[in-house]
Amino acid sequence: MATEYKTLAGQNFDRAAFESLLRRKVFLWQSFEPYGATKGLFDYGPPLETLEAEIINIWRDHFIRSEKMMSLKCSMLTPYQVLKTSGHVDKFADYMCKDPKTGEILRSDHLIKDVIETRLRGDREARGEKVSDEPEDPKKKKKASKVAKTAVKLDDAVVKDYEYILATLDDCTGEDMGALIRKHDIRNPTSGNQVEDPVSVNLMFQTQIGASGKEPAFLRPETAQGQFLSFQKLLEFSDGQLPFASASIGYSFRNELSPRSGLLRVREFLMAEVEHFVDPESGKKHPKFASVKDVKLPLLDRDTQSAGGSTSKEMTIGEAVATKLVDNETLGYFLVRIKQFMEKIGVDQKKLRFRQHMANEMAHYAADCWDCELFNSYGWIECVGCADRSAYDLSVHMKATGVPLQVREPLKEPKRVEEFVAQLDKKKSGPKFKKDAGKVQSTLDELSQDVKEKLSLSLQQDGKVEVEVPDMGKVELEKDIVVIEKQTRTETMREFIPNVIEPSFGIGRILYSLMEHVYWTREGDEARSVMSFKPTVAPIKVLVAPLQKDVRFAGLLQELERRLDDEAVSFKVDQSGVSIGKRYSRNDELGIPFGLTIDYQSLEDNTFTLRDRDTTKQVRASIDQILDAISKMVKGKESWADVQNRLPAFESKEEDKE
Amino acid sequence: MATEYKTLAGQNFDRAAFESLLRRKVFLWQSFEPYGATKGLFDYGPPLETLEAEIINIWRDHFIRSEKMMSLKCSMLTPYQVLKTSGHVDKFADYMCKDPKTGEILRSDHLIKDVIETRLRGDREARGEKVSDEPEDPKKKKKASKVAKTAVKLDDAVVKDYEYILATLDDCTGEDMGALIRKHDIRNPTSGNQVEDPVSVNLMFQTQIGASGKEPAFLRPETAQGQFLSFQKLLEFSDGQLPFASASIGYSFRNELSPRSGLLRVREFLMAEVEHFVDPESGKKHPKFASVKDVKLPLLDRDTQSAGGSTSKEMTIGEAVATKLVDNETLGYFLVRIKQFMEKIGVDQKKLRFRQHMANEMAHYAADCWDCELFNSYGWIECVGCADRSAYDLSVHMKATGVPLQVREPLKEPKRVEEFVAQLDKKKSGPKFKKDAGKVQSTLDELSQDVKEKLSLSLQQDGKVEVEVPDMGKVELEKDIVVIEKQTRTETMREFIPNVIEPSFGIGRILYSLMEHVYWTREGDEARSVMSFKPTVAPIKVLVAPLQKDVRFAGLLQELERRLDDEAVSFKVDQSGVSIGKRYSRNDELGIPFGLTIDYQSLEDNTFTLRDRDTTKQVRASIDQILDAISKMVKGKESWADVQNRLPAFESKEEDKE
């Protein structure tokens, strides 16, 4: 499968070298290292923490401010009942298998995948093919090879069977996986032991609120539920008018059984989620759709995937919505806005696509769903999900709580409605049912029109009907105590539950992909790596480097620091003794876009050189001109090319040594 | 005690009206309302979420960028062992009492305080005094009064005793409180039942990582520990040079037993914490101290408090440090920076003070500690703690993990060290102790110089010594197997554990206090409340209001929207049918600082009026001038007074109706 991942300069990507840079420049590391490090938890050091903050600010501006979304912050701690209603208590789970002898717990799908891939690799070795794709974790391979016999040729039919298993693994139930494990004698690769049948394990972190033990709770698995539960307040704040959107940037948690793939699958992660509420009868039109309809997107649709294809097609969103490839304007509008956001932060547009969910991938209630996937060395990775959740969530919470999470609006014209109504005679039913009368009436109210029609006939024919009332069992109602008949009434209000379109961003995955996208090495020198962050998002904007250690530079250095501070531009001073070229190059790894140098000419004429990280070209100008250029470039109002055009070029002798 | 809290306009503060505004304008509400709301958890709606984001950005700029701090993001989920070492597993607890009949759980100190205050109030009533200060929660009072006999006169000695209890309650141990409860027959006020003895309950939320049950974990109670565990990486990133500071903005959790006081005591809260690492032998000087030494701070010192005083003194920080009132320059520098931050975000400087911790309030290892307290309707509230944590945390983690969380630096001159050394003879001790030999040696190594000296004498006199070795009990060492003598060696490196100064900000408390500080009502009209957020932090910057519903305004409205979007200024359009004055006034409650109006004159000459929320004054100018003024004011580069000075005033007829 894998198209090999290349850097932006078209070089083969060396993940070991890349990860070494991330560690060396303290971008990130596993949390609690002195205590042995905890899997699936990461700490961000200054470069990555700052990059995240810059990107969150762009997200806020691009979505919340610009689209007038209502930003919310909801609690992470979430009572049991909320997540029971949403379905997470029952369905937010993975299957695991236990090794009964070692007590080790393995994710069932990972176990099957690992063992079968190892066998297929052994088969290819035995056939004399070159085996290139390694398992992710070298340690695992080493352990695995102790047990598995490598280089064993398989029957062609078995190979075919194995390939089919790998292709369909995502669709397997726990029982399916149990059957596969027994049929193919899949064992724990580290111990060689048989494993127990797959058991569903919920992935939420459980805790409890308060000391009484009466309030079980979870850490939320998504930020969406808090937004749904705030619906009434949001509706009021927007004067009862749809559509409107809420947005929430916050942490969610997932107790992964065996986390891997670095930042791509972690236990604690930042999400940015939008819930856009629309009237389902509006056709899900979007007022600003016209302004984006000619934007082209790389779309990988459901049918192409079913036919085994994996190549996306460029198409304008206008055409995609017109042909119903993308379900509606609102969904289409958000796909464009997602792409524009990715452009703003510097994602490589050739490594971005939108993939439509297959029919069986979507939740049963979803109308359509597209993932924005970014290509990195792990393959195409889902970084944003953009789903139409229909009215599902509001409906279930409304049913569970009785709180009307819906819109009431006056009808333009009153509507005559004809329908069957079943009504207890209050005078007679009161004495008969006492406090249960209400329960009987509400059971009647909830019957469907069909059932009411049938009951009405029965009542005419038999003089009585029977209904099943919760906690009371079958209840007989005689003709004199109930009326069931067709009635006509006039409705003046319309009540409906809005549909929700939800773009949901996994910030950690975006950050990781972006870091791979901007990483490359200078031509002819693989040791000199560069992180080409856009000036707008770069964690530090300017490197200030006096040419040499010389007290005469101190005054100008102080002046530059003060001026940069006044402009609120972040900078780093590097006064170490090494050559200026070396200082540039080691700060290229931090992704600092601009280098500002003080040299002997600065002492004479108060001019400075400014170096561009990506081209290594330099200009020379006065402090005011240089600061103006920096300020414009970090705000995204000017590019280096613009600056190079208007300020005089400078050829550095030191730079030759780069 | 209580000085009554007044609004910025000097009015009596009406908390009910204030809270009603917060609810009506969806600043905040208790989380999960449709499910009955969860105590101690709050959701922020758009105004408060945005305010928080603005304030966090100012914090980042004021501390992280400007002070070149190393920003970190560390995990919230924290393994058991980390918090065992830090002391939180054993000591992060409150005492609670159980009502054995109802199962209700009450915080012991709150229980004592509530009951005694009720009795004192009853006493004052009986003496015919006017009783003004109500208990916080009106419901509670109602319940309490059912049981407690109100208006009961107490003996003078009892009153004195009660007052003493209230003043010293914070210092009580669980046993002390148990004794008080029995002695004064303090019962659950809602049921009248006797309660069980106080039991210590840990306040951390417990959960577990992974499915194996082998990794118990907590949600962190502070962000500090992750920063300490990153110390080695930070030291490397700063080229081994002290001082440096890390900073972390993140969530912490505290499973309050009975949360109250709204946002002031919650279970999930955002903190911004700085850990500033210094060489303890540097005198904790700060390189930028000279630049702040003349700044005056309101300081309430320890001695004043001990003498029963509560009035702070204005003093320059230079004087405070010189007189050792504030322990050192670094602590002093941060106090000033905290004050400056509070000024930037709009905290009322008359409602801010720094209170020094009493000796028994501080952790045993702390050198000094000052809280920045903000005054609000709940009293003086700790919003920032600024403590010198000494070397405590790094030391305990280093001891527990063996990872060197310390600095090694070459000594300027090698140092001769004379000291007693106890050394086993390897050839003889090996056969005798086998694998335990190392344990015996390290026991010897850890003996103090005094003990070694004594042992050396014993060894000379008795020919043997006895030492207590962990897991081995008393071990006898004969003369031939151990040498204990004074030796001289030359040290070339210095190893030391840095001290830590920690300013720690509770963002929620700051936000709440700020909201009270900016709240007031217009003269003569209590229904017209205003939130006077500074333009730099206001959640929405501009209200755009066409004078009336008139299609002719549509073009100009679109133009204004486009221009504001280009400047990335947040705005709200209010086209509702009500009068312009009414629209201004209802948006004053959201704290929108500027109102931009399109009127009939705009259609003629393309000028617009700009209204200032606080003064209700207006100017009239061209779109370019108006936008320039707005842009400068929201960046804090110009004030309304500046704008009023340079742009022509405008007198509105509509504004008269305000």
Side-chain angles (χ1 to χ4, degrees):
Chain A
M1 47 174 255
T3 319
E4 219 171 334
Y5 181 78
K6 305 270 188 189
T7 71
L8 70 92
Q11 303 141 329
N12 286 331
F13 178 79
D14 179 347
R15 196 195 285 156
F18 173 70
E19 286 180 346
S20 152
L21 182 155
L22 295 190
R23 268 195 308 277
R24 214 165 52 244
K25 295 294 177 183
V26 296
F27 277 81
L28 78 159
W29 57 86
Q30 263 187 295
S31 302
F32 312 110
E33 266 188 10
Y35 285 84
T38 306
K39 274 194 173 177
L41 294 178
F42 289 89
D43 287 357
Y44 291 7
L48 188 52
E49 198 281 340
T50 313
L51 180 70
E52 183 184 78
E54 294 280 14
I55 282 171
I56 289 298
N57 274 337
I58 291 176
W59 197 94
R60 291 188 74 89
D61 190 71
H62 187 78
F63 289 104
I64 298 177
R65 186 199 54 77
S66 161
E67 303 284 353
K68 297 206 171 18
M69 291 173 174
M70 290 184 269
S71 58
L72 291 180
K73 162 164 133 168
C74 301
S75 292
M76 293 177 259
L77 289 160
T78 307
Y80 176 92
Q81 204 49 52
V82 172
L83 293 160
K84 177 72 186 170
T85 303
S86 69
H88 288 90
V89 170
D90 298 321
K91 289 181 189 158
F92 192 71
D94 271 346
Y95 285 96
M96 62 155 202
C97 293
K98 191 172 173 180
D99 180 328
K101 291 184 188 157
T102 65
E104 210 178 331
I105 281 163
L106 304 152
R107 214 174 110 171
S108 310
D109 56 345
H110 287 178
L111 169 67
I112 295 170
K113 187 162 175 265
D114 288 349
V115 170
I116 290 201
E117 282 181 347
T118 304
R119 290 181 190 169
L120 285 172
R121 209 165 25 245
D123 173 66
R124 286 202 301 282
E125 273 181 44
R127 287 169 196 251
E129 286 174 30
K130 207 184 142 212
V131 178
S132 70
D133 47 349
E134 302 282 317
E136 226 160 75
D137 184 348
K139 267 183 256 160
K140 212 166 244 169
K141 197 201 169 183
K142 217 172 146 194
K143 281 192 205 156
S145 54
K146 271 191 216 158
V147 178
K149 292 170 209 125
T150 51
V152 174
K153 192 170 176 303
L154 305 169
D155 282 351
D156 286 359
V158 173
V159 171
K160 219 161 181 180
D161 202 6
Y162 281 179
E163 279 167 353
Y164 179 78
I165 292 170
L166 290 180
T168 55
L169 197 55
D170 283 351
D171 280 339
C172 283
T173 64
E175 264 181 60
D176 294 344
M177 288 193 281
L180 287 174
I181 287 169
R182 284 188 301 273
K183 181 174 168 199
H184 298 285
D185 191 29
I186 288 170
R187 291 160 179 251
N188 180 353
T190 43
S191 68
N193 297 330
Q194 285 185 323
V195 297
E196 289 175 359
D197 271 344
V199 176
S200 164
V201 177
N202 194 285
L203 296 177
M204 291 191 290
F205 285 96
Q206 189 159 7
T207 188
Q208 67 171 53
I209 296 173
S212 67
K214 285 182 202 150
E215 295 185 77
F218 298 101
L219 293 173
R220 66 180 171 200
E222 58 173 19
T223 68
Q225 300 304 322
Q227 298 184 63
F228 297 137
L229 295 181
S230 310
F231 175 75
Q232 281 185 312
K233 289 178 199 297
L234 299 174
L235 182 66
E236 217 184 293
F237 197 59
S238 58
D239 299 323
Q241 297 300 306
L242 287 188
F244 64 77
S246 62
S248 185
I249 301 166
Y251 289 88
S252 296
F253 300 83
R254 202 183 150 101
N255 202 354
E256 294 288 348
L257 301 180
S258 50
R260 43 191 199 176
S261 310
L263 272 193
L264 300 180
R265 194 161 282 281
V266 295
R267 284 171 161 154
E268 173 179 322
F269 48 95
L270 188 62
M271 303 177 82
E273 284 192 312
V274 172
E275 311 295 338
H276 181 92
F277 298 89
V278 288
D279 181 344
E281 289 182 12
S282 69
K284 302 181 185 175
K285 300 271 180 213
H286 194 286
K288 293 203 219 160
F289 187 74
S291 67
V292 303
K293 69 180 195 337
D294 296 327
V295 176
K296 283 191 175 169
L297 301 180
L299 300 175
L300 174 58
D301 62 56
R302 186 177 292 156
D303 294 344
T304 306
Q305 295 171 68
S306 298
S310 64
T311 311
S312 57
K313 277 183 289 221
E314 285 280 327
M315 193 187 292
T316 66
I317 194 65
E319 191 189 342
V321 170
T323 58
K324 275 285 177 194
L325 174 58
V326 169
D327 186 72
N328 58 67
E329 283 189 2
T330 299
L331 200 55
Y333 180 74
F334 277 118
L335 297 188
V336 171
R337 292 294 285 162
I338 291 166
K339 180 188 152 75
Q340 290 169 340
F341 167 74
M342 295 293 186
E343 273 174 350
K344 272 190 191 168
I345 66 171
V347 160
D348 187 339
Q349 294 297 301
K350 292 187 292 297
K351 293 171 181 162
L352 175 152
R353 75 179 183 194
F354 291 93
R355 187 180 72 77
Q356 189 173 32
H357 275 208
M358 312 284 285
N360 52 7
E361 249 181 301
M362 287 196 296
H364 64 91
Y365 51 80
D368 196 3
C369 184
W370 290 81
D371 286 344
C372 175
E373 295 185 331
L374 301 182
F375 188 56
N376 65 33
S377 68
Y378 292 92
W380 283 100
I381 303 295
E382 174 198 348
C383 289
V384 187
C386 194
D388 184 333
R389 285 175 88 132
S390 73
Y392 176 76
D393 304 271
L394 292 178
S395 306
V396 292
H397 286 301
M398 180 165 156
K399 194 160 174 226
T401 63
V403 173
L405 302 173
Q406 61 180 3
V407 179
R408 272 173 66 84
E409 57 175 30
L411 286 166
K412 275 173 199 143
E413 286 177 35
K415 205 164 99 185
R416 273 169 61 94
V417 180
E418 256 197 355
E419 60 181 17
F420 281 93
V421 174
Q423 184 65 48
L424 290 179
D425 180 303
K426 278 188 191 141
K427 271 189 202 149
K428 287 175 188 156
S429 63
K432 183 168 179 191
F433 297 117
K434 306 210 166 60
K435 67 175 176 44
D436 288 333
K439 211 184 268 175
V440 177
Q441 179 63 54
S442 66
T443 303
L444 291 175
D445 290 343
E446 281 172 18
L447 297 173
S448 70
Q449 282 296 308
D450 280 1
V451 174
K452 281 183 192 164
E453 181 164 7
K454 274 180 206 142
L455 288 181
S456 136
L457 284 174
S458 307
L459 194 63
Q460 279 173 26
Q461 285 164 11
D462 311 336
K464 60 176 184 186
V465 293
E466 233 181 35
V467 287
E468 181 85 28
V469 181
D471 307 329
M472 293 174 69
K474 288 217 162 81
V475 171
E476 205 178 81
L477 300 170
E478 311 246 337
K479 218 174 172 168
D480 62 334
I481 208 166
V482 68
V483 175
I484 308 181
E485 57 178 24
K486 205 168 216 174
Q487 292 183 357
T488 304
R489 61 192 168 77
T490 306
E491 278 185 357
T492 55
M493 297 296 283
R494 176 180 161 229
E495 281 180 358
F496 66 94
I497 298 179
N499 279 18
V500 175
I501 288 160
E502 178 194 77
S504 170
F505 293 68
I507 301 297
R509 291 180 169 195
I510 294 171
L511 289 175
Y512 180 80
S513 304
L514 176 61
M515 289 194 292
E516 280 203 6
H517 287 194
V518 300
Y519 169 83
W520 58 293
T521 52
R522 298 248 185 241
E523 183 82 41
D525 188 352
E526 277 177 31
R528 292 191 54 193
S529 14
V530 184
M531 297 290 274
S532 283
F533 293 116
K534 279 189 154 189
T536 43
V537 304
I540 301 175
K541 310 299 185 191
V542 180
L543 172 73
V544 181
L547 190 64
Q548 290 178 358
K549 275 195 176 169
D550 192 323
V551 285
R552 284 178 293 169
F553 293 147
L556 287 178
L557 177 59
Q558 230 175 5
E559 164 84 0
L560 287 183
E561 293 191 51
R562 197 183 54 73
R563 293 289 300 266
L564 286 164
D565 263 335
D566 286 350
E567 294 280 330
V569 169
S570 63
F571 62 93
K572 182 186 164 187
V573 177
D574 190 341
Q575 297 199 72
S576 59
V578 300
S579 78
I580 190 87
K582 208 160 223 160
R583 278 181 279 164
Y584 284 150
S585 102
R586 77 180 170 198
N587 285 296
D588 285 347
E589 291 193 325
L590 273 174
I592 303 179
F594 307 114
L596 180 48
T597 313
I598 310 171
D599 58 17
Y600 290 99
Q601 193 180 330
S602 311
L603 293 174
E604 286 162 28
D605 65 3
N606 225 11
T607 63
F608 303 86
T609 69
L610 186 68
R611 172 213 188 235
D612 173 54
R613 171 199 59 209
D614 295 347
T615 60
T616 74
K617 297 288 182 212
Q618 297 188 57
V619 293
R620 177 161 209 119
S622 74
I623 178 76
D624 288 340
Q625 288 172 310
I626 296 279
L627 282 173
D628 174 60
I630 290 173
S631 174
K632 281 179 176 147
M633 290 189 290
V634 303
K635 283 178 192 144
K637 290 185 176 167
E638 226 176 35
S639 68
W640 173 255
D642 299 330
V643 170
Q644 225 183 344
N645 273 337
R646 62 183 179 76
L647 295 182
F650 175 72
E651 296 292 333
S652 155
K653 288 172 225 151
E654 286 288 338
E655 187 72 15
D656 296 340
K657 292 184 202 155
E658 275 202 27
Chain B
M1 47 174 259
T3 320
E4 220 172 334
Y5 181 79
K6 305 270 187 187
T7 71
L8 69 93
Q11 303 140 329
N12 286 332
F13 179 79
D14 179 347
R15 196 194 286 154
F18 174 70
E19 286 181 347
S20 151
L21 183 156
L22 296 190
R23 269 195 307 277
R24 214 165 53 244
K25 295 295 177 181
V26 295
F27 277 81
L28 79 159
W29 57 87
Q30 263 190 294
S31 302
F32 312 112
E33 264 188 12
Y35 285 85
T38 306
K39 272 195 174 176
L41 294 177
F42 290 88
D43 288 357
Y44 291 7
L48 188 52
E49 198 281 339
T50 312
L51 180 71
E52 182 184 78
E54 294 280 14
I55 281 172
I56 288 298
N57 274 337
I58 291 176
W59 197 94
R60 292 188 73 89
D61 191 71
H62 186 79
F63 289 104
I64 298 177
R65 186 198 56 75
S66 160
E67 303 284 353
K68 298 209 170 16
M69 291 173 175
M70 290 186 269
S71 57
L72 290 180
K73 163 165 132 168
C74 301
S75 293
M76 291 177 260
L77 289 161
T78 305
Y80 176 90
Q81 204 49 52
V82 172
L83 293 160
K84 177 72 185 169
T85 302
S86 69
H88 288 91
V89 169
D90 299 320
K91 290 181 191 157
F92 192 71
D94 271 346
Y95 285 96
M96 62 156 204
C97 293
K98 193 173 171 179
D99 179 329
K101 292 187 186 155
T102 66
E104 211 178 330
I105 282 164
L106 304 152
R107 221 176 105 172
S108 310
D109 56 345
H110 286 180
L111 169 66
I112 295 170
K113 187 163 176 265
D114 288 349
V115 169
I116 292 205
E117 281 181 348
T118 304
R119 290 183 191 167
L120 285 172
R121 210 166 22 245
D123 173 64
R124 286 202 301 281
E125 273 178 47
R127 288 168 195 253
E129 285 174 31
K130 209 184 141 209
V131 177
S132 68
D133 47 351
E134 301 284 316
E136 225 159 72
D137 184 347
K139 266 184 253 157
K140 212 165 245 171
K141 196 200 169 183
K142 217 173 147 193
K143 282 192 204 157
S145 56
K146 271 189 214 157
V147 178
K149 291 169 207 125
T150 51
V152 174
K153 192 168 175 304
L154 306 169
D155 282 349
D156 286 358
V158 172
V159 170
K160 220 162 181 183
D161 202 8
Y162 282 177
E163 279 166 355
Y164 179 78
I165 291 170
L166 290 180
T168 55
L169 196 54
D170 285 350
D171 280 340
C172 285
T173 63
E175 263 180 60
D176 295 344
M177 288 193 282
L180 287 174
I181 287 168
R182 284 188 302 273
K183 180 177 169 197
H184 297 284
D185 191 30
I186 288 171
R187 293 160 178 251
N188 179 355
T190 42
S191 69
N193 298 329
Q194 285 186 322
V195 297
E196 291 175 359
D197 270 344
V199 176
S200 162
V201 177
N202 194 284
L203 296 178
M204 291 192 290
F205 285 96
Q206 188 159 9
T207 186
Q208 67 172 53
I209 297 173
S212 68
K214 284 182 203 151
E215 295 184 78
F218 297 101
L219 294 173
R220 66 178 173 202
E222 58 175 16
T223 69
Q225 300 304 322
Q227 299 184 64
F228 297 136
L229 295 180
S230 309
F231 174 75
Q232 281 186 311
K233 290 177 198 295
L234 299 174
L235 183 65
E236 217 184 294
F237 198 58
S238 57
D239 299 322
Q241 296 301 306
L242 286 187
F244 64 77
S246 62
S248 185
I249 301 166
Y251 288 89
S252 295
F253 300 82
R254 200 183 152 101
N255 201 355
E256 294 289 346
L257 301 179
S258 50
R260 44 190 198 175
S261 310
L263 271 193
L264 300 180
R265 193 161 283 282
V266 295
R267 286 172 159 151
E268 172 179 323
F269 48 95
L270 189 62
M271 302 177 83
E273 283 191 313
V274 172
E275 310 296 338
H276 181 91
F277 298 90
V278 289
D279 181 345
E281 289 182 11
S282 69
K284 303 182 186 175
K285 300 270 180 213
H286 194 286
K288 294 203 219 159
F289 187 73
S291 68
V292 303
K293 71 178 189 343
D294 296 328
V295 176
K296 282 191 176 170
L297 301 180
L299 301 174
L300 173 58
D301 63 56
R302 188 178 291 155
D303 294 342
T304 306
Q305 294 171 68
S306 298
S310 62
T311 311
S312 56
K313 277 183 289 227
E314 285 279 327
M315 194 187 292
T316 68
I317 193 65
E319 191 190 341
V321 170
T323 57
K324 274 289 180 190
L325 174 57
V326 169
D327 185 72
N328 58 68
E329 283 189 1
T330 299
L331 200 54
Y333 180 74
F334 277 118
L335 298 188
V336 172
R337 293 293 286 162
I338 291 166
K339 180 188 151 76
Q340 290 170 339
F341 166 74
M342 295 293 185
E343 272 174 351
K344 271 191 192 167
I345 66 171
V347 160
D348 188 338
Q349 294 297 299
K350 291 187 292 297
K351 293 171 181 162
L352 175 151
R353 74 178 183 195
F354 292 92
R355 188 182 70 79
Q356 189 174 32
H357 275 208
M358 312 285 283
N360 52 8
E361 248 182 303
M362 287 197 295
H364 63 94
Y365 52 80
D368 195 5
C369 183
W370 289 81
D371 287 343
C372 174
E373 296 184 330
L374 302 183
F375 188 57
N376 64 35
S377 66
Y378 292 94
W380 282 100
I381 302 296
E382 174 199 348
C383 289
V384 187
C386 195
D388 185 332
R389 286 175 86 130
S390 74
Y392 176 77
D393 304 271
L394 292 177
S395 307
V396 293
H397 286 301
M398 180 164 155
K399 194 161 175 225
T401 63
V403 172
L405 302 174
Q406 61 180 2
V407 178
R408 270 173 66 84
E409 59 175 29
L411 286 167
K412 274 173 198 146
E413 287 178 35
K415 204 165 100 186
R416 274 169 60 95
V417 179
E418 255 196 359
E419 59 181 17
F420 281 93
V421 173
Q423 183 65 49
L424 289 180
D425 180 306
K426 277 188 191 142
K427 271 189 201 148
K428 287 175 188 155
S429 64
K432 182 169 178 190
F433 296 117
K434 306 209 167 60
K435 65 174 178 43
D436 289 332
K439 212 182 270 174
V440 178
Q441 180 62 56
S442 66
T443 302
L444 292 175
D445 291 345
E446 282 173 16
L447 298 173
S448 71
Q449 282 294 307
D450 280 1
V451 174
K452 282 182 192 165
E453 183 166 3
K454 273 178 208 145
L455 289 181
S456 139
L457 283 174
S458 307
L459 195 61
Q460 279 173 26
Q461 285 165 9
D462 311 338
K464 62 179 183 185
V465 293
E466 234 181 35
V467 287
E468 180 85 28
V469 181
D471 306 330
M472 292 172 71
K474 287 218 162 77
V475 171
E476 204 179 82
L477 300 170
E478 310 247 336
K479 217 174 172 165
D480 63 334
I481 210 170
V482 70
V483 176
I484 308 180
E485 56 178 24
K486 203 165 218 173
Q487 291 183 358
T488 305
R489 60 190 169 77
T490 306
E491 278 186 355
T492 55
M493 298 294 284
R494 175 178 165 233
E495 282 181 356
F496 67 94
I497 299 180
N499 279 18
V500 175
I501 288 159
E502 179 195 77
S504 169
F505 294 68
I507 301 297
R509 290 179 171 199
I510 295 172
L511 289 175
Y512 180 80
S513 304
L514 176 62
M515 290 194 292
E516 279 202 6
H517 287 195
V518 301
Y519 169 84
W520 57 294
T521 51
R522 297 247 186 244
E523 183 80 42
D525 188 353
E526 277 176 31
R528 291 192 54 194
S529 15
V530 184
M531 297 291 274
S532 283
F533 293 117
K534 279 189 154 189
T536 43
V537 304
I540 301 174
K541 311 298 185 189
V542 180
L543 171 73
V544 181
L547 190 64
Q548 290 178 357
K549 275 196 177 170
D550 191 323
V551 286
R552 283 178 293 169
F553 293 146
L556 287 178
L557 177 59
Q558 229 174 6
E559 165 84 359
L560 287 185
E561 293 191 52
R562 196 183 56 72
R563 294 289 300 267
L564 286 165
D565 263 335
D566 286 350
E567 295 280 329
V569 169
S570 63
F571 62 94
K572 182 187 165 188
V573 177
D574 189 341
Q575 296 199 73
S576 59
V578 298
S579 79
I580 190 86
K582 208 160 221 160
R583 277 180 280 165
Y584 283 149
S585 103
R586 77 180 170 199
N587 286 294
D588 286 347
E589 292 195 324
L590 272 173
I592 303 179
F594 307 113
L596 181 47
T597 313
I598 310 170
D599 58 18
Y600 291 99
Q601 192 181 331
S602 312
L603 293 174
E604 286 162 28
D605 65 3
N606 225 14
T607 63
F608 302 87
T609 69
L610 186 67
R611 172 215 188 235
D612 174 53
R613 172 200 59 208
D614 295 347
T615 60
T616 74
K617 296 289 180 210
Q618 298 189 56
V619 294
R620 177 160 211 121
S622 75
I623 177 76
D624 288 339
Q625 289 172 308
I626 296 279
L627 282 173
D628 174 60
I630 290 173
S631 174
K632 283 180 176 146
M633 289 189 289
V634 302
K635 283 176 191 144
K637 291 183 177 169
E638 227 177 32
S639 68
W640 173 256
D642 300 329
V643 170
Q644 224 183 343
N645 273 337
R646 62 182 179 77
L647 296 181
F650 176 72
E651 295 293 331
S652 155
K653 289 171 223 149
E654 285 289 338
E655 187 74 13
D656 295 341
K657 291 182 205 156
E658 273 203 30

